[in-house]
Amino acid sequence: MTTVRDAVFDLLRRYELTTLFCNPGSTEVSLLTGLPDDLRFVLALHEGSVVGMATGWAIGREAPALAVLHTTAGLGNAVGAIATARVNRVPLVILVGQQDRRHLALEPFLTGRLDGLAGDYPVRVDQPVRAQDVPGAIARAFHEAATSRGPALVVVPMDDWEAPFEGETVAAPGRLLRPAAVADDDLAPLVELLSGALSPAIVAGARADWDSLVPLAELLGCPVFQESFGSRAGFPQDHPQYAGVLPADRGRLRETLSGHDVVLAVGAPVFRQYPYAPGPLVASGTVVALVTDDPAEAHRSPAELAYLASPGAVCARLTALLPARTGRGRHQPPPAEIPELPPLRAAHVLRELALRLPADTVLIEETPSSRPDLHRLMPARTPLGFLSAAMGGLGFAVPAAVGLRMALPDRPVVAVVGDGSALYGLHALWSAAHYRVGALFVVLANGRYAVMDRLADQRGEGKAPWPPFDEVDMGALARSLGCPAVRVGSYDELTAALDEIVPTLAARDSPLLLDVSVAVDPGFQP
């Protein structure tokens, strides 16, 4: 007899969802025990790491990944990571366990009140009416995740897996194609706008396509800015036309974009900010146009002209339709200033990393107080040369680095994290050690939430109530989870460690945590 479980396994093979990231609970035992040999089970010790590792896997493979969560507790623990996946626009299929369907009405132990628990962050939540509807719900979740670029949840009662599936129909297409072509007539208003621009500029976002955006930028000869708080680099940051990261407040944003009569945002919102400041986003006389494949981004952006279309397809056609401009100039920001030694600061660590890391390194950032230095000192040279959590919550970098290295075993993978950030996702180091995942975790340890200290200082309203946590030993925590660790306390120790470690990154088959003691950096401005 063919069961629902059998039918689902066939679907997982068809959609190449054969790696299951999971922290198991009793409501998932009937799914997980006796897995076929061609399905790979990957254990994480916390549900945040389950979804974080799946997120990294999906980014690396450029395809949906599969996570399995345990009813209310599991889904609740993973909500922050689910929110990050949605804001980063990463496709995930998430199966959530539920109590036995036959007595749910009595609310037995471990009954999940799951509807709405993850809020609006999933692109779809499905609780199939019948057990036989589960395979179709999972197939639809795959398509919804890939189309809407986010996590799609399917809640499955524990008895559904053994239900018969003879003669049933999977209510979803086997293949779903998403043509991305754009008509030249539709692009005419944007072609006219850019053709008449005296001083255009481009803002590149996480969904920009490098292969099409670089030729367009070179044709226009204009500066290209990176969106603020983006989840990945939208343009090669060693390109002579790269002009730096947009400021995150309106005053500095207006100043940066002043003098540009047309600003084209590609795969980026218009415009991400953090501290509120009054006034318009851009100065009078500056026209903003937007190209995005995210409907919500298009609908909320205050642009004069917005296209809901594939950024890659639009940029490729614009390059064919626009006349070339003369005088392509250099727009790179000035070199970053490095503080004098001693003490050892984050900027020193980032500079030495930048001097040694190969161009194809996958770099994941989660060090809020050092992010401006990282942007200035470590330009992204490939589309995965900078990755971050666009949602802003902590706990992304460590598990994402594990998933990325699993998906890309031949590329160096480095996570640069603060010690406060690392503590949110440290469980993933066990998975890295157990599954022999050769990622490098560079922890900038200052024993405090430095960015919070600075924000409190900027308010000037008294001392912040939170204490430092400099008793925490990141290396000891890593070793307790089976991950080797090296302590670095001086500049000479840093350079010696990096000289030894960096050449091994592409071939490493075990993780390593570099616990670097750094002084607090002054003068941070988000």
Side-chain angles (χ1 to χ4, degrees), residues 50 55 129 145 207 367 372 403 505:
V50 168
T55 299
V129 175
R207 298 303 301 166
T367 174
L505 289 180

Side-chain angles (χ1 to χ4, degrees), residues 42-131:
V42 177
L43 175 65
L45 302 187
H46 185 273
E47 290 83 0
S49 292
V50 168
V51 174
M53 289 164 58
T55 299
W57 177 267
I59 292 171
R61 291 173 56 88
E62 298 183 339
L66 177 64
V68 181
L69 302 177
H70 173 53
T71 192
T72 306
L75 178 57
N77 283 342
V79 167
I82 289 170
T84 294
R86 175 63 181 275
V87 179
N88 277 31
R89 303 201 67 207
V90 178
L92 301 177
V93 175
I94 300 177
L95 305 184
V96 183
Q98 176 61 293
Q99 245 287 3
D100 193 303
R101 184 186 293 271
R102 293 167 294 188
H103 67 160
L104 275 177
L106 301 176
E107 293 200 16
F109 179 64
L110 290 179
T111 299
R113 297 187 180 183
L114 304 172
D115 189 22
L117 182 57
D120 293 331
Y121 287 108
V123 298
R124 178 175 174 80
V125 177
D126 198 351
Q127 302 186 63
V129 175
R130 303 183 306 149

Side-chain angles (χ1 to χ4, degrees), residues 7-349:
V8 167
F9 288 163
D10 286 343
L11 279 174
L12 299 184
R13 297 180 181 107
R14 179 190 306 172
Y15 294 131
E16 298 184 352
L17 294 173
T18 53
T19 297
L20 290 72
F21 295 92
C22 182
N23 182 267
S26 57
T27 53
E28 296 77 58
V29 168
S30 52
L31 165 67
L32 298 172
T33 52
L35 280 179
D37 291 341
D38 61 333
L39 299 184
R40 180 188 187 191
F41 181 94
V42 177
L43 175 65
L45 302 187
H46 185 273
E47 290 83 0
S49 292
V50 168
V51 174
M53 289 164 58
T55 299
W57 177 267
I59 292 171
R61 291 173 56 88
E62 298 183 339
L66 177 64
V68 181
L69 302 177
H70 173 53
T71 192
T72 306
L75 178 57
N77 283 342
V79 167
I82 289 170
T84 294
R86 175 63 181 275
V87 179
N88 277 31
R89 303 201 67 207
V90 178
L92 301 177
V93 175
I94 300 177
L95 305 184
V96 183
Q98 176 61 293
Q99 245 287 3
D100 193 303
R101 184 186 293 271
R102 293 167 294 188
H103 67 160
L104 275 177
L106 301 176
E107 293 200 16
F109 179 64
L110 290 179
T111 299
R113 297 187 180 183
L114 304 172
D115 189 22
L117 182 57
D120 293 331
Y121 287 108
V123 298
R124 178 175 174 80
V125 177
D126 198 351
Q127 302 186 63
V129 175
R130 303 183 306 149
Q132 289 73 19
D133 296 330
V134 169
I138 294 173
R140 179 166 179 179
F142 176 88
H143 295 313
E144 295 272 5
T147 300
S148 302
R149 308 296 300 181
L153 275 58
V154 181
V155 178
V156 186
M158 58 195 297
D159 58 313
D160 282 8
W161 299 111
E162 300 306 322
F165 195 75
E166 298 286 355
E168 296 288 342
T169 299
V170 175
R175 297 177 65 201
L176 179 63
L177 302 181
R178 306 170 185 86
V182 290
D184 290 355
D185 287 347
D186 292 334
L187 291 178
L190 185 54
V191 170
E192 180 181 1
L193 183 65
L194 290 171
S195 297
L198 298 176
S199 179
I202 292 174
V203 175
R207 298 303 301 166
D209 170 66
W210 284 31
D211 290 340
S212 60
L213 184 57
V214 170
L216 176 61
E218 291 177 347
L219 184 77
L220 294 174
C222 66
V224 181
F225 298 94
Q226 171 71 35
E227 68 165 320
S228 60
F229 302 113
S231 64
R232 69 174 73 187
F235 189 79
Q237 295 175 354
D238 57 349
H239 192 283
Q241 289 174 241
Y242 177 66
V245 180
L246 275 186
D249 65 84
R250 296 189 185 194
R252 289 187 296 149
L253 176 65
R254 287 193 297 272
E255 181 181 353
T256 299
L257 296 179
S258 65
H260 297 291
D261 53 346
V262 175
V263 176
L264 175 63
V266 179
V270 178
F271 291 106
R272 282 196 102 187
Q273 302 282 279
Y274 174 57
Y276 173 73
L281 292 173
V282 295
S284 176
T286 298
V287 176
V288 177
L290 168 68
V291 179
T292 179
D293 60 359
D294 182 344
E297 193 168 84
H299 297 154
R300 71 173 178 265
S301 291
E304 294 291 326
L305 178 63
Y307 284 84
L308 183 56
S310 162
V314 170
C315 290
R317 287 309 301 154
L318 287 175
T319 302
L321 295 170
L322 285 166
R325 296 170 59 89
T326 58
R328 187 180 84 194
R330 296 184 65 88
H331 301 282
Q332 287 182 316
E337 295 184 5
I338 305 295
E340 293 184 3
L341 286 161
L344 183 63
R345 298 188 186 274
H348 301 125
V349 181

